[in-house]
Amino acid sequence: MYVRATTRKNKDGSTVRYLQLAHNEWDAATGTSRPQVLHSFGREDQLDRAGIERLVASLAKLLDPAAALRATSGADLTFLASRPMGGAHALDGLWHRIGIDTVMKKLLTSSRLDPAAERVLFALVANRALAPSSKLAATRWIEHDSHIPGLAATSDDACYRAMDWLLKIEDRLAEEVYWQVADLLNLEVDLLFFDTTSTYFETGEADTPAARDEHGRRLPDEPADTTQSSQAAESTGDDEKPASFRAYGKSKDHRPDLPQVVIGMAVTRTGIPIRIWSWPGNTADQALIRQVREDLREWKLTRVVWVADRGFASETNRRFLQRAGGHYILGEKIRSGSPAAQAALSRQGRYAHVADNMQVKQVQLPDTADRFVICHNPDQAKRDAAIRADLLAQLEEAIKDSDKLKPLKRAELRGKLSTKPGLHRFLRATPGGLLRVDKTAIKAEERLDGKFLLRCSDPHLSAEDIATGYKQLLEVERGWRDMKTIIDLRPVYHRKEDRIRAHVLLCWLALLLIRIAETTCDDTWLNLREELERIHVGTFTGPAGTFRQRTETSTAQRAILAKLGVTEPKRIITLEPGTPA
């Protein structure tokens, strides 16, 4: 297809040109190519140029942004490069709306750090949300593969200096950012959800132990990190004993063979992560929530109900969370055999139906002010029964011919089965040492199918509110899932403790921006990112100079930016006049 020009000579001798959109068709009969006119634009001097621009823009949308820029650049211009800019532009708009830039710049005034540190940190956060990579690879991404407003390029040393500074301002930054986000989204902080995860390191070696305070931070004047291959001298919670940061511990990623760190996160009921913490890899969950409660106490939040899983339900934690009028909703270990759990489960009463096919029953025990809520999900009960049936089939197959074995071999089989908790739970041995399926254990498990037990200290929450509030703990689990998949919390390319902590903070800031975007637009970040990254910026050069121009925004892209409260990027990003000849 091409634009065809024809001329006509008037009586007065003037020449008029007419423009047509045409393409050639092969005429098999004559063996020649004949032009076919598809559309006539009329006289060249009377063209509807605005209409032609709309047509070109409409056709350009069918192309890849780089191909569209190349096709429309013109003969006198050289098209140099194209890179996505929409995702970084949207994130930068949220960064400014929240006021993170203002907070950082204010804190930068009291330091000798380069003022560009705020831009470097934003670029690292944007990298985690858009194209996660190592810090060295991020510098190449910033310079060649993305358009970061206010930062054309940076170095890995500048990234590390900015990360070190980020760790120093962590407490003040987290608090000020929280209040900015609370005002922006009108956050409800009546429920705060807390949970932990672990992330491992492929290094295979733990750090050298160092003296630490009660929050797991290395005490001053300690030597820099080095590594060792042994697990010796690991701390078990005693503040006076040295502990490694990357340490061997109970892995939630099922990799106990690798050193890890423990990470905790506090999240609102709408999934907004308000703060994140890092601890040595062998830190037990029980003590962590006390530090979290103490840190957030300084924020002077209004009435807060803490929601946490069973790992945080110790009596010490419960007392701590009730300080200054606080309350909690905690999961209770239903198979723990504790007197409170057994008494609550043994109480008779009817279940009340609530949302999402859940049934709840409230129990008040005489020796405690806490209320217990037994939750029952019929669908989960069916799944539990199916899983148990599969385990029993495996167990029966394993012990099918064990009566014929010699006592020593039978004892070996029993020892092997003891390493598989799912099977061992239903195994019993007769006085003669024969292996049998434990029918009493099966009946006990059947009574627990689809059930979980909650403990709540707030006298004003209904049983339904307690149950639905606890189910929202899944928001934290969703946060961990996105941290490990979309933001790529792991692999961690750092060895030094401070850099690892700073890396976790960058991931938190990225998740914060992502959650605000999702909440505001009511869509997933994957969808939003895909649409926004179609906005490209092209670099052109010609006799008049060099300029960078963005592609035209689509209706969907404009709608996303409008919901986020972010203005469209300028059409001409930069303009550098050429040198006169």
Side-chain angles (χ1 to χ4, degrees):
M1 236 181 300
Y2 60 94
V3 176
R4 180 188 184 208
T6 60
T7 59
R8 180 175 64 85
K9 200 170 216 182
N10 294 327
K11 292 181 180 179
D12 60 2
S14 62
T15 300
V16 179
R17 281 167 52 93
Y18 292 86
L19 302 180
Q20 300 167 329
L21 181 66
H23 79 111
N24 292 333
E25 287 187 355
W26 181 258
D27 188 339
T30 62
T32 60
S33 177
R34 295 179 179 275
Q36 296 292 325
V37 176
L38 302 177
H39 177 72
S40 178
F41 293 106
R43 290 175 51 158
E44 185 178 23
D45 58 344
Q46 297 176 359
L47 280 179
D48 179 9
R49 297 187 181 278
I52 292 176
E53 286 182 3
R54 290 194 297 272
L55 175 61
V56 171
S58 179
L59 292 173
K61 291 179 182 178
L62 304 177
L63 303 176
D64 173 83
L69 286 168
R70 193 182 306 111
T72 58
S73 61
D76 58 338
L77 291 176
T78 301
F79 174 59
L80 298 178
S82 173
R83 64 181 72 178
M85 69 168 297
H89 177 79
L91 292 171
D92 190 48
L94 289 177
W95 183 270
H96 283 75
R97 281 193 69 195
I98 297 171
I100 300 178
D101 64 317
T102 304
V103 174
M104 286 188 175
K105 288 174 182 177
K106 181 174 67 175
L107 296 174
L108 271 169
T109 57
S110 60
S111 71
R112 296 181 180 179
L113 202 66
D114 185 347
E118 178 269 332
R119 287 289 80 194
V120 173
L121 289 174
F122 166 73
L124 294 176
V125 170
N127 175 255
R128 303 240 63 84
L130 298 171
S133 62
S134 68
K135 303 304 177 291
L136 181 59
T139 62
R140 296 193 293 269
W141 176 81
I142 292 166
E143 185 174 358
H144 301 292
D145 301 315
S146 184
H147 173 71
I148 303 298
L151 186 69
T154 188
S155 66
D156 52 340
D157 286 339
C159 292
Y160 293 139
R161 286 195 298 269
M163 290 173 64
D164 292 342
W165 177 69
L166 175 64
L167 198 60
K168 293 178 182 177
I169 66 169
E170 174 186 359
D171 293 341
R172 293 179 62 187
L173 177 68
E175 181 175 1
E176 294 206 35
V177 167
Y178 164 73
W179 289 113
Q180 295 280 1
V181 174
D183 291 339
L184 177 65
L185 301 182
N186 193 24
L187 288 184
E188 297 181 12
V189 199
D190 54 338
L191 294 183
L192 272 183
F193 302 86
F194 177 75
D195 198 11
T196 62
T197 190
S198 59
T199 188
Y200 56 82
F201 297 80
E202 298 287 357
T203 176
E205 296 179 335
D207 296 334
T208 299
R212 299 181 178 278
D213 62 17
E214 68 277 10
H215 293 165
R217 292 187 178 275
R218 192 173 63 244
L219 294 174
D221 301 322
E222 286 297 312
D225 288 346
T226 55
T227 56
Q228 64 173 19
S229 58
S230 69
Q231 302 182 29
E234 292 296 330
S235 169
T236 56
D238 187 343
D239 297 337
E240 297 180 357
K241 290 183 178 180
S244 303
F245 188 60
R246 294 183 301 173
Y248 296 94
K250 183 178 180 181
S251 173
K252 298 188 179 183
D253 297 305
H254 310 292
R255 292 303 306 267
D257 57 316
L258 295 175
Q260 64 176 20
V261 296
V262 173
I263 303 171
M265 184 163 56
V267 174
T268 68
R269 65 162 69 219
T270 54
I272 305 297
I274 64 171
R275 188 155 181 193
I276 202 163
W277 293 262
S278 301
W279 293 281
N282 59 350
T283 309
D285 281 350
Q286 289 286 357
L288 301 185
I289 200 170
R290 297 199 288 275
Q291 179 193 338
V292 173
R293 171 68 178 83
E294 193 66 21
D295 286 349
L296 296 188
R297 183 179 62 84
E298 303 297 329
W299 294 11
K300 297 180 174 60
L301 301 175
T302 55
R303 173 182 172 272
V304 171
V305 178
W306 287 88
V307 186
D309 213 338
R310 297 168 296 180
F312 305 96
S314 70
E315 183 178 354
T316 303
N317 283 345
R318 296 199 302 269
R319 288 199 307 268
F320 195 89
L321 292 177
Q322 283 187 288
R323 290 184 181 179
H327 288 288
Y328 53 77
I329 300 173
L330 299 173
E332 187 79 11
K333 293 181 179 179
I334 201 168
R335 296 178 179 85
S336 65
S338 69
Q342 289 181 336
L345 291 170
S346 64
R347 290 294 183 92
Q348 300 298 314
R350 292 187 175 183
Y351 284 94
H353 289 267
V354 296
D356 298 329
N357 197 31
M358 182 174 291
Q359 303 170 5
V360 298
K361 179 173 66 175
Q362 181 173 297
V363 175
Q364 183 70 59
L365 300 180
D367 298 333
T368 177
D370 287 352
R371 291 181 298 148
F372 291 85
V373 175
I374 305 171
C375 304
H376 179 250
N377 186 328
D379 292 337
Q380 183 61 46
K382 293 178 182 178
R383 289 191 288 270
D384 290 345
I387 292 171
R388 185 174 55 254
D390 182 60
L391 291 173
L392 290 174
Q394 295 180 44
L395 179 60
E396 289 173 350
E397 179 66 23
I399 66 173
K400 180 173 59 176
D401 298 321
S402 61
D403 289 359
K404 302 175 183 178
L405 298 176
K406 294 181 179 180
L408 181 58
K409 289 293 184 181
R410 203 158 46 236
E412 290 178 358
L413 175 59
R414 184 181 179 185
K416 183 179 179 180
L417 292 174
S418 68
T419 64
K420 302 177 180 180
L423 301 181
H424 190 253
R425 188 163 67 237
F426 302 110
L427 178 68
R428 71 178 181 88
T430 67
L434 300 179
L435 303 181
R436 296 289 183 266
V437 174
D438 191 342
K439 295 183 179 179
T440 302
I442 295 173
K443 290 181 180 179
E445 282 292 315
E446 289 174 347
R447 290 194 292 269
L448 302 179
D449 282 352
K451 294 179 182 178
F452 58 94
L453 181 63
L454 306 178
R455 176 195 286 260
C456 179
S457 65
D458 192 324
H460 304 293
L461 289 176
S462 67
E464 179 177 353
D465 288 340
I466 294 171
T468 54
Y470 185 79
K471 282 195 69 177
Q472 287 176 308
L473 192 60
L474 293 174
E475 285 294 339
V476 191
E477 296 179 8
R478 186 167 73 98
W480 292 136
R481 185 172 62 250
D482 288 353
M483 274 271 203
K484 295 180 179 181
T485 55
I486 298 175
I487 300 175
D488 282 5
L489 171 67
R490 185 177 59 240
V492 182
Y493 296 98
H494 304 287
R495 178 183 62 82
K496 293 184 177 180
E497 177 177 334
D498 286 352
R499 299 278 167 76
I500 296 170
R501 291 181 182 273
H503 169 76
V504 172
L505 289 176
L506 292 174
C507 291
W508 161 62
L509 287 170
L511 183 63
L512 175 65
L513 296 179
I514 285 173
R515 283 290 181 267
I516 292 174
E518 290 179 331
T519 301
T520 306
C521 297
D522 193 25
D523 200 352
T524 67
W525 175 244
L526 293 179
N527 291 337
L528 297 173
R529 182 177 66 184
E530 181 180 20
E531 186 63 44
L532 289 169
E533 287 291 78
R534 293 186 179 125
I535 304 176
H536 275 227
V537 58
T539 303
F540 303 85
T541 188
T546 301
F547 68 94
R548 305 179 78 188
Q549 178 178 328
R550 66 162 170 83
T551 55
E552 292 297 318
T553 54
S554 66
T555 302
Q557 292 159 0
R558 289 193 295 272
I560 293 172
L561 294 174
K563 289 179 181 178
L564 296 177
V566 177
T567 58
E568 288 187 49
K570 295 184 298 182
R571 184 180 179 84
I572 302 298
I573 307 300
T574 59
L575 178 60
E576 300 174 7
T579 303

